[in-house]
Amino acid sequence: MNPKRLWSFARPGPVAAALLFFTAGIKPSEARDWVSKIWTSPNAPSGPFTDLAVGPDGYLLVASGEGLRRFDGIGFGNSSDGVQSESYGWQATAVFAARGGDVWVGFRGEGVERRRGPTRRIFRVREHETLRFVRSFWEDGTGAVWVASDAGLSVIREDRCLPQPAPPGRITYRVKGSPQDLPWVATDFGLFELKDGRYVPIAGQG
């Protein structure tokens, strides 16, 4: 199956997953003409469905209540590539495909797993409290991976998980990069840029 034609295999059916088909060059005023196709897969995982990413092979990775699953356009696989991991059965809360081909998965109450080919590396909550409920990832220009979770912000660099200063607010929802390659952090208190070790308010209550 050609990953580039992933969506061409959709089959109509009951609600289980939905994809939006669109035409290149469509104008905003024509958005009402987009068509949603809905179908079911007999081996679809149970929810909640919390994140999506496109894996190194071009297929869709789905973070679900049954862990990380791989969607090939027809059905769902376990995305383990034949490698059994202790993370099997954990609830996946976030997934991210890094530039070099690594896949990062956040798990509720367990930590973060890095999948590098057949190799698995787990950064556990008991060693890194800031990984308690991972919500998003971001890779900076140096290849370091930033992790936003309910417990704060961390950066994983050269196999070391380094907690960062706690951002304002109770929950850190997202971390993304600014044009200057600095972390932008969205919390329940506002939007902030982490610069020189302190959070600069961008929007919100900060």
Side-chain angles (χ1 to χ4, degrees), residues 73-169:
I74 297 177
F76 291 85
N78 63 16
S79 80
S80 66
D81 300 325
V83 178
Q84 190 64 268
S85 170
E86 62 178 297
S87 65
Y88 180 80
W90 293 353
Q91 179 182 336
T93 56
V95 58
F96 174 72
R99 290 188 298 269
D102 291 351
V103 173
W104 294 82
V105 191
F107 296 99
R108 181 173 186 174
E110 300 290 349
V112 167
E113 181 179 69
R114 182 189 64 204
R115 303 184 175 197
R116 178 174 291 170
T119 304
R120 304 288 188 267
R121 167 68 191 276
I122 296 179
F123 300 85
R124 301 297 297 254
V125 164
R126 63 172 176 259
E127 300 163 356
H128 311 287
E129 177 64 27
T130 51
L131 302 180
R132 179 158 300 281
F133 191 124
V134 175
R135 292 182 178 269
S136 75
F137 298 94
W138 167 61
E139 182 182 15
D140 68 20
T142 70
V145 173
W146 294 73
V147 187
S149 80
D150 280 7
L153 186 68
S154 300
V155 59
I156 300 177
R157 181 180 287 113
E158 297 178 351
D159 281 347
R160 295 181 61 202
C161 181
L162 306 172
Q164 300 301 296

Side-chain angles (χ1 to χ4, degrees), residues 10-17 37-40:
R11 299 177 178 178
V15 175
K37 295 293 185 182
I38 303 173
W39 73 96
T40 188

Side-chain angles (χ1 to χ4, degrees), residues 30-80:
E30 299 171 341
R32 63 182 180 276
D33 297 326
W34 292 6
V35 178
S36 176
K37 295 293 185 182
I38 303 173
W39 73 96
T40 188
S41 172
N43 58 343
S46 64
F49 302 99
T50 50
D51 205 2
L52 302 169
V54 177
D57 57 3
Y59 291 115
L60 194 65
L61 299 175
V62 181
S64 77
E66 296 179 3
L68 185 67
R69 302 294 292 275
R70 177 178 177 271
F71 183 68
D72 62 7
I74 297 177
F76 291 85
N78 63 16
S79 80
S80 66

Side-chain angles (χ1 to χ4, degrees), residues 10-11 32 34 51 53 58 75 77 143 167 172 177 180 184 189 196 201-202:
R11 299 177 178 178
R32 63 182 180 276
W34 292 6
D51 205 2
T172 305
Q180 292 75 36
W184 279 39
F189 198 69
D196 299 328
I202 304 297

